[in-house]
Amino acid sequence: MKPVSGPLAEEWVAGIGYEAQEGTMGAMTRIFAALCALLFLASCDTSTTNFPVNTRNVSSVEDPAAGDVAIVRLSLANVATFGAPSDLSGGRTTLPSSDYWNYRIGPGDLLDIVVYEHPELTSPAGSTRTPAEGGLRVNSDGTFYYPYVGNVRAAGRTPEQVRADLSRQLKEFIPSPQVSVRVVGYNSQTVSVTGEVGKPARIPLTSKSLTLLDAINEAGGLNETADARQVLVRRGGRSYAVDLQAFLNQGIASNNPVLRNGDVVSVQRATKLEAYLLGQLVKPGPIDLTKDDVSLTEAVTSVGGLNTNQADARGVFVFRDSPSGVIVFQLDTSSAAAYVVGTKFFLHPQDVVYVTTAPVAKWNRVVSNILPTLSTARAASALAN
């Protein structure tokens, strides 16, 4: 009998790690040695996780990358403690605001002034002209001219204050004058809305207070890319962060402030918040948490569920970083009722959901790796004979 030589001998040496020898007994010995070696390598298979599947409610393991890792086995009894959604609210804003609003006249505004029973003094002049067409415009110096009285200061004053001033001065010419003053053209004060809104615009302030939400709605509302948790309002050289979502969700009134002249509202683009689903799932991948709270059950369902041929139903883990270290939550889904627990456990940004491989699937992979080697060994044995 001749020893194996050529490419087949090189494959034998590389795949099994032994030099070809003569004799059937030697070939069988090599096959057994190769089988043992492959079984040993299979126990160190890096394509699967050896993360422990625990039956205790709380335990810990030592991980070379993360250090001490606390493991919490989720159940109906403890999911309320650990499963709350991440608090992404920005709290109450420090932007000064007040529920009371009283419009103050400014340059460019149009005033409609009526002196009852004195049409010669009433504006507008002529029955065909509207108040806006015949209104008195406030000059750049903040005054307007009125017959008999002359220049009247209006800027920085309310319509009621201007009315009282005109009534007092007209008493020299008219006994007990009855005067009405109202703004019919709001041109002096505006708020600008920019960023992730439908139609960025300058919005005039009127006698009705303008809240942050009103201004955004008048600018076309929030875009899909907008982050309602991070709305910036620039006022007087300072920027204030306003969590408008806290007003919408929780009714925090201070987070819907009344705006003032010159305010600039900038709606920020949302930063995408994601959790990551890995392991034995039908379609592993990221899941978006930017706008909605997503439960563990919802997340697993959204990627097609567990890979039934490969996954270990006991090994659904959620890895979460915390100030005290990595916490791992385990959900044993071997019972379908466990998915009810999963509906009460909400993912946080940067969570990693990992589904381990079932032992039987790991064994099948080991066998599939062994079979080609056995075939090679048989071929070498035949040549050796």
Side-chain angles (χ1 to χ4, degrees), residues 48-376:
T48 61
T49 179
N50 291 321
F51 202 86
V53 177
N54 289 284
T55 58
R56 291 173 292 173
N57 288 336
V58 179
S59 58
S60 63
V61 297
E62 177 72 23
D63 185 88
D68 289 332
V69 176
I71 305 173
V72 178
R73 191 180 186 207
L74 295 174
S75 66
L76 283 175
N78 66 10
V79 70
T81 303
F82 302 106
S86 180
D87 183 9
L88 300 176
S89 64
R92 287 170 169 79
T93 181
T94 58
L95 177 67
S97 180
S98 173
D99 293 334
Y100 178 75
W101 170 256
N102 203 354
Y103 184 83
R104 294 186 179 274
I105 299 167
D109 285 345
L110 291 176
L111 304 179
D112 176 41
I113 300 176
V114 176
V115 180
Y116 294 97
E117 298 182 354
H118 290 273
E120 74 279 6
L121 296 176
T122 297
S123 176
S127 60
T128 60
R129 300 179 68 184
T130 65
E133 292 171 338
L136 296 173
R137 183 178 296 276
V138 179
N139 299 320
S140 59
D141 63 357
T143 67
F144 66 92
Y145 177 80
Y146 200 75
Y148 299 120
V149 176
N151 288 331
V152 179
R153 185 170 64 87
R157 306 172 82 182
T158 66
E160 178 57 30
Q161 289 171 328
V162 173
R163 186 202 68 78
D165 189 16
L166 272 176
S167 297
R168 179 180 56 80
Q169 297 190 61
L170 285 173
K171 283 181 181 179
E172 298 181 17
F173 311 98
I174 303 171
S176 301
Q178 301 296 308
V179 181
S180 169
V181 177
R182 64 191 181 105
V183 182
V184 292
Y186 295 94
N187 303 317
S188 64
Q189 302 175 51
T190 59
V191 166
S192 297
V193 182
T194 65
E196 300 301 313
V197 292
K199 295 180 180 179
R202 295 182 66 184
I203 301 170
L205 294 178
T206 67
S207 58
K208 180 183 177 181
S209 62
L210 182 71
T211 66
L212 177 60
L213 182 59
D214 291 336
I216 290 175
N217 286 338
E218 288 197 33
L222 297 170
N223 290 340
E224 291 185 359
T225 55
D227 186 0
R229 298 184 180 96
Q230 280 291 328
V231 179
L232 297 181
V233 179
R234 290 195 293 274
R235 175 184 295 174
R238 292 186 58 186
S239 291
Y240 300 87
V242 182
D243 184 357
L244 185 61
Q245 195 69 46
F247 168 74
L248 297 174
N249 292 350
Q250 305 168 39
I252 300 177
S254 62
N255 284 23
N256 186 31
V258 174
L259 300 178
R260 299 179 184 173
N261 180 39
D263 284 352
V264 178
V265 177
S266 178
V267 180
Q268 305 298 297
R269 178 182 290 269
T271 301
K272 197 169 187 180
L273 303 176
E274 292 181 320
Y276 308 97
L277 282 73
L278 306 172
Q280 297 301 334
L281 295 159
V282 174
K283 294 181 180 180
I287 187 167
D288 191 0
L289 308 178
T290 306
K291 293 186 177 181
D292 299 312
D293 295 321
V294 179
S295 71
L296 177 56
T297 297
E298 183 181 359
V300 171
T301 303
S302 69
V303 296
L306 274 59
N307 187 336
T308 55
N309 295 326
Q310 300 287 334
D312 185 346
R314 302 170 302 163
V316 178
F317 295 98
V318 179
F319 293 76
R320 177 175 298 166
D321 195 11
S322 72
S324 59
V326 176
I327 303 176
V328 180
F329 302 96
Q330 178 194 350
L331 183 66
D332 183 352
T333 61
S334 55
S335 168
Y339 285 106
V340 176
V341 178
T343 62
K344 303 178 185 299
F345 184 90
F346 293 90
L347 298 180
H348 291 188
Q350 304 304 310
D351 277 356
V352 176
V353 179
Y354 191 91
V355 180
T356 59
T357 304
V360 65
K362 187 175 180 180
W363 170 251
N364 289 340
R365 182 159 53 249
V366 170
V367 172
S368 66
N369 288 336
I370 290 175
L371 290 178
T373 304
L374 292 176
S375 299
T376 302

Side-chain angles (χ1 to χ4, degrees), residues 22-39:
E22 293 181 342
T24 302
M25 185 62 68
M28 293 303 297
T29 300
R30 290 191 294 274
I31 291 173
F32 178 76
L35 177 61
C36 292
L38 282 171
L39 286 173

